[in-house]
């Protein structure tokens, strides 16, 4: 007879997960419960602790393409702004996920060859979009350097954050919200189109749930049900937010941003966010968008690749939202 914790976690999942939001028979009941869950989500992400210092947001433009934003006490993060050569059609706040090169890896700043982003930010610029890309905690240059080895990214930051009752995803969401504020007040840019890939997809879902200023969003290569992905396949520790199941499954989290236009896209060969789990989420979201009378505002797209961006579909979606 062997020993395992699998059954224990299956039982606890069924016991602790919130009821699906799609169970509601009316839009009014759905929206009322969304309000309650958004309040709880803010508590889970500990946003009040991040906002409490009241240090304000200080911004410095370092070059034509780089800004420095100080919104966290004692810490600043870089933000890159890529502008088209012709009059733009809109601005996309691009939220990258895990990349060995950090945010700059998304626009090939190092001359590397990596199929993850397919240089989507550069393609968006070619199509007339301004693209704003923040460096989020645990990625790229936003690492913890006080440890005495190379253990400094997501794991190091998550562990120390949890010691303080904080969440690394809460810090990332706060960074994105501050970036949106700087875009509006300092850069003179709209902050209403949001794109997130992989771990950036989780940040995008959380931001859409809490911010009413997002007009349309793309969640790429994130969106599989928790049970089919992070509970069954090894993922980075930043995906595991304590008490998140009180908000519900992945579909319920994303649904808190409904009925704004949303594209959920995934590769059929994605090994860490399996398509069957994304289809579960998409089915739930389709029911919710129908309940809200916004069937045409939700799209789900599967491409033939793996854990990577879908360039043409993303650009076409944003074009449909800005045209």
């Amino acid at each position: 007879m062997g020993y395992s914790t699998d059954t224990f976690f299956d039982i606890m999942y069924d016991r602790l997960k919130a009821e699906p939001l799609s169970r509601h028979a009316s839009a009014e009941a759905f929206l009322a419960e969304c309000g309650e869950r958004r309040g709880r989500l803010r508590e889970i992400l500990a946003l009040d602790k991040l906002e409490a210092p009241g240090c304000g947001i200080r911004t410095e433009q370092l070059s034509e393409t780089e800004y420095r934003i100080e919104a966290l006490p004692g810490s600043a993060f870089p933000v890159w702004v890529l502008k088209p050569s012709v009059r733009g059609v809109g601005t996309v706040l691009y939220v990258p996920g895990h990349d060995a090169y950090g945010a700059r890896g998304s626009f090939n700043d190092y001359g590397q060859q990596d199929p993850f982003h397919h240089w989507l930010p550069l393609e968006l610029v070619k199509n007339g979009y301004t693209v704003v890309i923040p460096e989020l905690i645990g990625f790229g240059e936003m690492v913890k350097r006080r440890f005495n080895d190379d253990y400094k990214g997501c794991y190091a930051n998550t562990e120390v954050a949890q010691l303080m009752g904080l969440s690394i995803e809460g810090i990332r969401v706060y960074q994105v919200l501050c970036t949106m504020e700087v875009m509006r007040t300092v850069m003179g840019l709209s902050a209403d189109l949001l794109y997130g890939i992989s771990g950036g997809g989780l940040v995008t879902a959380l931001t859409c749930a809490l911010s009413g200023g997002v007009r349309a969003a793309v969640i790429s290569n994130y969106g599989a049900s928790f049970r089919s992905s992070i509970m069954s396949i090894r993922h980075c520790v930043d995906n595991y937010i304590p008490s998140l199941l009180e908000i519900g499954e992945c579909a319920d989290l994303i649904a808190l941003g409904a009925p704004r236009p949303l594209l959920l896209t995934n590769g059929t060969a994605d090994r860490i966010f399996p398509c069957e789990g994304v289809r579960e989420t998409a089915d739930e979201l389709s029911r919710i968008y129908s309940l809200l009378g916004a069937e045409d505002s939700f799209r789900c797209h599967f491409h033939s690749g793996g854990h990577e961006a879908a360039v043409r579909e993303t650009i076409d979606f944003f074009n449909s939202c800005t045209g």
Side-chain angles (χ1 to χ4, degrees):
M1 179 178 178
Y3 300 92
S4 170
T5 60
D6 296 289
T7 300
F8 165 72
F9 284 120
D10 288 340
I11 292 171
M12 295 303 290
Y13 169 89
D14 291 330
R15 181 180 298 174
L16 299 176
K17 178 177 66 68
E19 288 293 313
L21 285 168
S22 63
R23 76 185 190 282
H24 288 294
S26 71
E28 293 75 18
F30 166 82
L31 293 172
E33 186 162 350
C34 281
E36 296 176 4
R37 295 199 193 188
R38 286 191 195 99
R40 179 59 182 138
L41 180 60
R42 284 187 59 86
E43 294 174 358
I44 288 171
L45 296 178
L47 291 180
D48 61 323
K49 293 183 179 180
L50 297 170
E51 296 164 345
C55 62
I57 303 174
R58 289 187 285 272
T59 308
E60 179 183 1
Q61 186 170 3
L62 304 180
S63 69
E64 185 178 351
T65 59
E66 184 177 354
Y67 285 76
R68 171 188 170 93
I69 296 178
E70 186 175 342
L72 300 168
S75 181
F77 61 94
V79 175
W80 286 270
V81 181
L82 312 179
K83 294 183 178 181
S85 57
V86 296
R87 182 177 176 82
V89 296
T91 303
V92 175
L93 176 51
Y94 190 98
V95 189
H98 293 82
D99 188 311
Y101 301 93
R104 285 190 282 183
S106 66
F107 57 96
N108 199 20
D109 198 42
Y110 293 98
Q112 78 280 8
Q113 294 298 316
D114 187 338
F116 180 44
H117 300 280
H118 289 297
W119 321 135
L120 175 56
L122 299 180
E123 294 299 323
L124 285 163
V125 169
K126 288 179 185 177
N127 282 265
Y129 289 91
T130 297
V131 182
V132 178
I133 313 170
E135 186 85 279
L136 302 184
I137 184 172
F139 297 152
E141 299 178 66
M142 283 294 292
V143 295
K144 192 175 188 306
R145 303 190 186 278
R146 199 171 291 171
F147 282 125
N148 60 359
D149 55 22
D150 199 40
Y151 189 71
K152 59 187 181 181
C154 290
Y155 283 84
N157 283 281
T158 295
E159 290 171 353
V160 177
Q162 288 181 348
L163 184 68
M164 301 172 181
L166 298 170
S167 159
I168 189 172
E169 293 300 338
I171 298 171
R172 288 172 178 169
V173 170
Y174 184 63
Q175 286 182 269
V176 170
L177 293 173
C178 290
T179 301
M180 293 169 69
E181 180 66 16
V182 169
M183 288 168 65
R184 288 188 291 262
T185 61
V186 177
M187 301 178 187
L189 298 172
S190 62
D192 55 357
L193 301 177
L194 198 55
Y195 174 91
I197 184 168
S198 190
L202 172 56
V203 177
T204 295
L206 293 167
T207 303
C208 287
L210 297 174
S211 172
V214 179
R215 179 173 26 149
V218 176
I219 296 176
S220 175
N221 294 86
Y222 181 90
S225 63
F226 298 144
R227 193 163 205 167
S228 72
S229 57
I230 64 174
M231 286 183 62
S232 302
I233 302 166
R234 183 182 178 186
H235 281 71
C236 180
V237 69
D238 59 357
N239 287 280
Y240 304 90
I241 304 172
S243 301
L244 189 60
L245 280 177
E246 292 181 20
I247 307 302
E249 252 290 358
C250 185
D252 302 301
L253 175 63
I254 296 173
L256 295 182
R260 63 167 53 90
L262 171 68
L263 171 65
L264 190 65
T265 178
N266 209 75
T268 56
D270 193 326
R271 293 180 296 177
I272 58 175
F273 291 101
C275 281
E276 59 269 21
V278 177
R279 290 190 178 95
E280 290 177 40
T281 296
D283 288 345
E284 287 288 290
L285 289 172
S286 292
R287 283 189 279 272
I288 288 168
Y289 272 75
S290 294
L291 177 68
L292 299 175
E295 296 91 337
D296 294 338
S297 293
F298 171 66
R299 305 180 196 176
C300 183
H301 166 264
F302 293 98
H303 59 84
S304 60
H307 195 65
E308 58 197 88
V311 174
R312 189 68 257 165
E313 290 75 16
T314 297
I315 294 173
D316 288 346
F317 174 76
F318 283 136
N319 286 345
S320 72
C321 297
T322 57

